[in-house]
């Protein structure tokens, strides 16, 4: 009988903080500039230059730490992590080793299999390295160029406890973490531009065993689905080795998106390989109570709390609450509409339906569109008051999205007002009755469904503007006793 294994996963996530200037100098952090434009003696690591800590970076790291329920250290310090690589100008990276700014947090996640609490070991501050540009692939390139624009861009590294048990949980953890950071507005979390990077430690152990198995570190997974696929592959690879009685080697492996497999890169470094020591150029970081208090007051309602509140307070289905709170602006938009229009489910239907469809089509956020919360609530009221039908409203909504116009004005300009006046519809109803003797016969023989056919004909004639309820009633009055 083959052994059953338990998967153990821990994630290390690097997040670029969206401050305007770098962590230890005044250079801009703007992405996409010409190479080596955003540099100065400090971030180029020139001799004699001295780093000065950017306070805003600390504010952001504290916000992240608090949002992840960590303890914020009153005393932390910066250390040099020494290694040589051409993208690292000083041949050391300023990071935090044994006294990180935040520790002992957690993130609650939800998957199809339930709710799980994943521990956050630590959050620490560090600077990013520069970027090497190769001509083609790294192993075939004749030469490599270096761009130091990214050197000194502020990062936080968020390290999870090895509490994750499946690739699906890993994906849920990352999704929740990204959402929290977006709610805090401290990073754009753009994975393509490298603002959010994820490495994973993964190992297997026989079920019931306490000690961890030998782990492999996975790098270079630059999308959530790559993380999930990379981990799934790695679990299978290790399982096969163990089943065959072989050993898993501790090493760093890279996920190759094209080959759909992980490939060994190098043996794993240990902390002592880096010869960490306190950076003598930087003072220790002391955070007093009033600074903590000031930052705590800036914490917004977090996505998980908002999600739960949307379910309990507005009776939204969990699915709706998840979609709406899955984007901070959508959630804010939703609550603004709600101030003026008290039907949460109807608002969420429109936001998840027509609105989200157009936003995705145009790759926009709700506030980039022409629809304002005021105008959406106005339009929903017009439907409720039978000024327009639900069908016509879709047309109004599209025009509103493009033009930003008031829905009342759109209805007037486009002549979309619902016809709810019996006198106005009378002759048309008579015409349709006269033109469809077969349907009339069916109705008289008790086939109710034929009424729907006649209503449809009238809606067609009026281009959707007739009030369908009224038309239905008029037909019944005329044809049924
Ligand atoms: Zn600089």
């Amino acid at each position: 009988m083959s052994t059953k294994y338990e998967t153990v996963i821990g994630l290390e996530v690097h997040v670029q903080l969206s401050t305007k200037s770098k962590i230890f100098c005044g250079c801009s952090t703007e992405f996409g500039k010409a190479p080596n434009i955003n540099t100065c003696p400090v971030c180029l690591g020139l001799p004699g230059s001295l780093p000065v800590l950017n306070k805003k970076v600390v504010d952001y790291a504290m916000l992240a730490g608090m949002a992840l329920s960590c303890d914020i250290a009153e005393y932390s310090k910066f250390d040099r992590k020494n290694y040589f690589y051409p993208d690292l100008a000083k041949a050391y990276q300023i990071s935090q080793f044994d006294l990180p700014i935040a520790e002992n947090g957690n993130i609650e996640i939800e998957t199809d299999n339930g709710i799980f609490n994943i521990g956050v070991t630590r959050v620490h501050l560090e600077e990013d390295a520069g970027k090497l540009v190769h001509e083609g692939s790294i192993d075939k390139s004749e030469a490599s160029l270096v761009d130091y624009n990214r050197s000194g861009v502020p990062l936080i590294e968020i390290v999870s406890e090895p509490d994750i048990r499946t690739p699906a949980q890993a994906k849920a953890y990352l999704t929740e973490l990204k959402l929290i950071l977006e709610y805090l507005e401290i990073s754009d979390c753009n994975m393509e531009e490298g603002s959010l990077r994820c490495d994973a430690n993964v190992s297997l152990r026989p079920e019931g065993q306490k000690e961890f198995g030998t782990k492999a570190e996975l790098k270079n997974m630059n999308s959530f689905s790559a993380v999930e696929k990379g981990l799934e592959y790695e679990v299978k690879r290790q399982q096969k080795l163990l089943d065959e009685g072989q050993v898993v080697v501790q090493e760093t492996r890279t996920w190759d998106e094209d080959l759909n497999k992980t490939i060994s890169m190098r043996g794993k470094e240990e902390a002592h390989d880096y010869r960490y020591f306190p950076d003598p150029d930087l003072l220790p970081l002391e955070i007093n109570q009033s600074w903590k208090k000031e930052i705590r007051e800036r914490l917004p309602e977090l996505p998980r709390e908002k999600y739960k509140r949307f379910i309990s307070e507005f009776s939204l289905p969990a699915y709706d609450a998840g979609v709406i709170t899955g984007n901070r602006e959508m959630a804010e938009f939703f609550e603004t509409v709600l101030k003026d229009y008290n039907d949460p489910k109807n608002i969420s239907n429109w936001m998840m339906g027509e609105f989200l469809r157009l936003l995705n089509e145009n790759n926009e956020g709700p506030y980039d569109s022409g629809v304002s919360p005021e105008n959406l609530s106005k339009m929903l009221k017009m439907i409720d008051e039978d000024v327009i039908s639900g069908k016509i409203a879709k047309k109004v909504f599209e025009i509103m999205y493009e033009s930003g116009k008031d829905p009342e004005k759109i209805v007037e300009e486009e002549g979309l007002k619902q016809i709810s006046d019996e006198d106005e519809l009378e002759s048309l109803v008579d015409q349709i009755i006269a033109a469809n003797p077969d349907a009339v016969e069916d109705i008289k023989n008790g086939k109710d469904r034929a009424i729907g056919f006649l209503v449809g004909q009238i809606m067609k004639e009026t281009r959707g503007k007739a009030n369908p309820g009224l038309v239905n009633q008029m037909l019944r009055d005329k044809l049924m006793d």
Side-chain angles (χ1 to χ4, degrees):
M1 206 185 85
S2 70
T3 320
K4 273 214 164 23
Y5 294 101
E6 181 179 48
T7 302
V8 176
I9 299 168
L11 296 177
E12 292 169 9
V13 179
H14 285 90
V15 180
Q16 186 182 317
L17 299 176
S18 54
T19 53
K20 287 209 167 61
S21 55
K22 295 185 178 179
I23 182 168
F24 298 122
C25 63
C27 292
S28 166
T29 55
E30 199 182 333
F31 183 81
K33 298 294 267 192
N36 298 306
I37 291 291
N38 295 340
T39 56
C40 73
V42 173
C43 54
L44 287 174
L46 301 188
S49 62
L50 287 170
V52 176
L53 180 60
N54 178 344
K55 176 177 178 288
K56 199 156 195 181
V57 169
V58 181
D59 288 352
Y60 281 9
M62 284 165 76
L63 269 173
M66 288 174 185
L68 302 175
S69 310
C70 291
D71 305 322
I72 304 298
E74 279 164 30
Y75 181 92
S76 70
K77 67 175 172 65
F78 291 95
D79 302 279
R80 292 185 178 180
K81 180 181 181 181
N82 300 281
Y83 65 98
F84 176 76
Y85 203 63
D87 65 3
L88 192 67
K90 304 188 293 294
Y92 62 84
Q93 176 192 28
I94 304 177
S95 180
Q96 295 192 295
F97 180 51
D98 53 340
L99 295 172
I101 187 168
E103 286 179 290
N104 301 324
N106 64 80
I107 298 182
E108 185 181 279
I109 60 163
E110 192 168 351
T111 71
D112 292 342
N113 294 317
I115 293 171
F116 305 90
N117 210 24
I118 309 298
V120 171
T121 316
R122 57 189 273 156
V123 177
H124 70 250
L125 282 163
E126 61 187 27
E127 58 178 348
D128 207 347
K131 195 179 166 159
L132 289 182
V133 184
H134 313 289
E135 292 170 17
S137 70
I138 183 166
D139 51 339
K140 301 213 176 60
S141 184
E142 294 264 316
S144 295
L145 304 167
V146 64
D147 176 5
Y148 286 117
N149 282 349
R150 209 176 64 185
S151 169
V153 162
L155 301 178
I156 47 174
E157 180 173 343
I158 300 159
V159 181
S160 87
E161 287 288 300
D163 288 344
I164 299 168
R165 292 289 167 267
T166 64
Q169 282 183 12
K171 191 181 176 192
Y173 171 90
L174 284 175
T175 306
E176 193 62 33
L177 176 59
K178 177 169 181 269
L179 193 55
I180 292 169
L181 298 166
E182 283 168 348
Y183 266 58
L184 298 175
E185 296 181 304
I186 60 172
S187 172
D188 63 21
C189 296
N190 187 329
M191 285 188 100
E192 279 157 31
E193 290 178 5
S195 313
L196 194 143
R197 311 193 275 266
C198 174
D199 302 330
N201 289 307
V202 51
S203 63
L204 301 186
R205 64 180 170 193
E207 248 176 25
Q209 180 181 305
K210 258 205 144 85
E211 305 86 68
F212 294 129
T214 308
K215 65 186 177 184
E217 186 178 7
L218 282 194
K219 286 190 178 289
N220 196 27
M221 300 173 289
N222 40 26
S223 71
F224 285 0
S225 71
V227 171
E228 203 179 9
K229 277 192 280 178
L231 286 171
E232 277 166 4
Y233 177 88
E234 192 54 25
V235 170
K236 278 191 203 136
R237 186 187 73 87
Q238 293 186 14
Q239 169 107 44
K240 190 161 174 280
L241 284 174
L242 295 171
D243 282 347
E244 289 168 357
Q246 302 190 53
V247 288
V248 175
V249 181
Q250 181 163 343
E251 62 185 350
T252 302
R253 300 179 69 87
T254 180
W255 168 246
D256 190 313
E257 186 91 67
D258 298 325
L259 298 176
N260 253 312
K261 60 195 276 192
T262 65
I263 297 164
S264 177
M265 279 168 84
R266 57 171 186 265
K268 167 77 184 158
E269 312 83 355
E270 300 286 346
H272 62 249
D273 293 329
Y274 293 115
R275 303 288 191 274
Y276 281 98
F277 66 86
D279 192 310
D281 289 340
L282 284 157
L283 289 168
L285 179 58
E286 290 186 37
I287 297 171
N288 60 24
Q289 290 304 320
S290 73
W291 191 359
K292 276 194 207 177
K293 185 165 172 279
E294 183 203 321
I295 298 299
R296 195 166 291 283
E297 280 163 5
R298 277 162 51 186
L299 268 186
E301 184 181 31
L302 294 167
R304 216 39 212 161
E305 301 165 26
K306 207 183 271 292
Y307 166 80
K308 289 175 184 169
R309 181 169 64 80
F310 275 27
I311 295 172
S312 63
E313 193 176 328
F314 306 135
S315 308
L316 281 186
Y319 178 79
D320 294 40
V323 174
I324 304 273
T325 62
N327 176 304
R328 180 179 177 164
E329 287 189 349
M330 286 288 273
E332 200 180 284
F333 196 100
F334 173 88
E335 288 204 271
T336 315
V337 180
L338 197 60
K339 276 185 195 151
D340 209 41
Y341 178 79
N342 193 23
D343 185 342
K345 180 59 186 151
N346 202 16
I347 302 172
S348 99
N349 286 347
W350 274 87
M351 288 191 67
M352 296 194 311
E354 288 301 290
F355 205 4
L356 208 53
R357 180 178 68 78
L358 289 168
L359 291 174
N360 289 340
E361 256 176 47
N362 295 287
N363 198 15
E364 288 179 322
Y367 293 105
D368 306 323
S369 80
V371 181
S372 68
E374 294 72 27
N375 283 343
L376 177 56
S377 83
K378 210 178 219 180
M379 190 194 85
L380 295 176
K381 284 182 196 161
M382 289 167 78
I383 304 171
D384 292 351
E385 288 159 7
D386 280 337
V387 179
I388 48 174
S389 66
K391 203 170 169 191
I392 289 286
K394 288 193 177 171
K395 192 169 170 186
V396 173
F397 190 85
E398 257 179 46
I399 299 172
M400 194 156 83
Y401 189 99
E402 292 302 325
S403 67
K405 282 185 187 166
D406 184 300
E408 274 173 12
K409 203 167 168 212
I410 295 169
V411 169
E412 200 179 295
E413 281 177 3
E414 306 279 323
L416 295 172
K417 201 163 174 235
Q418 181 154 270
I419 309 169
S420 293
D421 179 356
E422 238 175 282
D423 296 340
E424 222 177 305
L425 290 169
E426 179 94 44
S427 67
L428 179 60
V429 171
D430 289 340
Q431 256 179 53
I432 294 293
I433 288 173
N436 295 283
D438 291 349
V440 171
E441 194 59 34
D442 284 348
I443 294 165
K444 293 202 163 151
N445 290 330
K447 288 187 187 161
D448 253 27
R449 281 218 321 245
I451 294 243
F453 172 75
L454 294 182
V455 173
Q457 295 301 303
I458 291 162
M459 295 309 288
K460 209 162 144 191
E461 281 297 312
T462 58
R463 285 178 296 127
K465 289 191 292 179
N467 180 331
L470 178 63
V471 169
N472 196 301
Q473 194 51 52
M474 288 170 74
L475 287 166
R476 283 173 190 276
D477 290 346
K478 283 176 189 286
L479 300 174
M480 298 159 98
D481 308 307

